[in-house]
Amino acid sequence: MAILTHPHMRVLVQGMTGHEGSFHTRQMIDFGTNIVGGVTPGKGGEWISGKPVFDSVIAAIEATEANTSVIFVPPEHASDAIYEAIDAGIDLIVCITEGIPVQDTMRLYDYLKQSNSRLLGPNCPGILTPSGISIGIIPGYITKKGTIGVASRSSTLTYEMIYHLSENGLGQSTCVGIGGDPIIGTSFVDVLEMFENDPDTEKILLIGEIGGRAEIDAASYIKAHMTKPVAAFIAGKSAPISERMGYAGAIIEQGHGTAEEKIMALAQAGVRIANNPDHLVELLR
């Protein structure tokens, strides 16, 4: 069993004909993901990696019965792609695109709450289950099947930590990148609740960074509801105040959102805090 993914997923790639979309389509197919087609307006009828391309999500669903979508559409059109997927009734929408304006994602978030769709991201690496489902850009070869659930805000740190886990024999149940933007569709709390209820997840790794309240809210949830052990790594201890560090959401404002603040909240909730990847392995053994 895994969270968010299941064997009956039929995945569309919105933006399949672009450079990133076509490359990662091949990677996902090679890993075992059931990619059933792609969507690029005006390019219906083309084929990428043996999969048909459609002009719209509705047309793709009619032909393939798709229920999941991953979005590689450029930021100026990504919001429209998400709206289209929501309106078509897609169950899970994974948005890889970085650079969508915050005002656009605020409107999307309100629209999403009125639907039955779930959004992962935007600006996220996606989700991977080592048993053979990869929706996004997490490299499959660094993962290993096991019982540790991984939830992360940072794409690069996700890869680094998963690699260290796998190299030390610590496999993963599901790896989830929630995204680094200030407004996202699925939070740490959402993912922690799923891991708590997943019988195949025994321990959880939370990878956070400076900016926002995501880790603070996660600490409150862990303290009140989690029974499974949680370890965490928080990046950005040396980050300067009011300077954005890579992601749109990774910025300390008015003294809030610091690594120290988040580490203290998590530690008070009983979370074991790692100083580096090797220390993380020790905590999760």
Side-chain angles (χ1 to χ4, degrees), residues 187-190 192-193 204 206-208 212-228 230-232 234 258-273:
S187 67
F188 271 142
V189 171
D190 295 329
L192 287 169
E193 182 178 8
I204 296 99
L206 187 148
I207 305 168
R213 287 190 47 86
E215 295 82 0
I216 305 295
D217 294 339
S220 297
Y221 181 84
I222 291 166
K223 187 172 184 179
H225 302 289
M226 295 291 292
T227 62
K228 297 177 180 179
V230 181
I234 306 298
T258 64
E260 291 77 10
E261 178 187 25
K262 297 181 180 199
I263 289 169
M264 181 179 298
L266 289 164
Q268 290 175 348
V271 176
R272 293 168 290 179
I273 307 297

Side-chain angles (χ1 to χ4, degrees), residues 14 85 117 138 143 149 152 166 172 179 221 224-225 234 243 255 270 279-280:
Q14 291 180 254
S117 299
I138 299 174
T143 64
S152 176
S166 298
Q172 307 88 45
Y221 181 84
H225 302 289
I234 306 298
E243 184 170 330
H279 185 206
L280 184 66

Side-chain angles (χ1 to χ4, degrees), residues 37-83:
V39 176
T40 300
K43 295 194 176 182
E46 295 186 11
W47 290 75
I48 299 289
S49 295
K51 305 298 178 180
V53 179
F54 301 88
D55 287 320
S56 69
V57 175
I58 286 291
I61 291 174
E62 289 175 351
T64 67
E65 298 182 347
N67 52 26
T68 305
S69 176
V70 56
I71 294 176
F72 289 95
V73 177
E76 60 269 25
H77 302 297
S79 293
D80 289 339
I82 297 172
Y83 280 119

Side-chain angles (χ1 to χ4, degrees), residues 94-109:
V94 179
C95 184
I96 310 301
T97 306
E98 181 179 0
I100 300 176
V102 174
Q103 287 188 334
D104 289 353
T105 52
M106 289 174 65
R107 287 189 288 267
L108 266 172
Y109 185 78

Side-chain angles (χ1 to χ4, degrees), residues 166-231:
S166 298
E167 285 293 293
N168 286 275
L170 297 174
Q172 307 88 45
S173 56
T174 310
C175 306
V176 184
I178 65 170
D181 281 1
I183 307 294
I184 54 175
T186 299
S187 67
F188 271 142
V189 171
D190 295 329
V191 177
L192 287 169
E193 182 178 8
M194 294 178 212
F195 279 140
E196 175 70 10
N197 295 324
D198 177 27
D200 289 339
T201 297
E202 295 179 0
K203 302 176 183 178
I204 296 99
L205 165 59
L206 187 148
I207 305 168
E209 59 189 6
I210 61 168
R213 287 190 47 86
E215 295 82 0
I216 305 295
D217 294 339
S220 297
Y221 181 84
I222 291 166
K223 187 172 184 179
H225 302 289
M226 295 291 292
T227 62
K228 297 177 180 179
V230 181

Side-chain angles (χ1 to χ4, degrees), residues 24-48:
H24 288 291
T25 293
R26 291 192 295 272
Q27 300 297 307
M28 290 185 283
I29 291 172
D30 289 345
F31 190 73
T33 308
N34 185 22
I35 303 292
V36 296
V39 176
T40 300
K43 295 194 176 182
E46 295 186 11
W47 290 75
I48 299 289

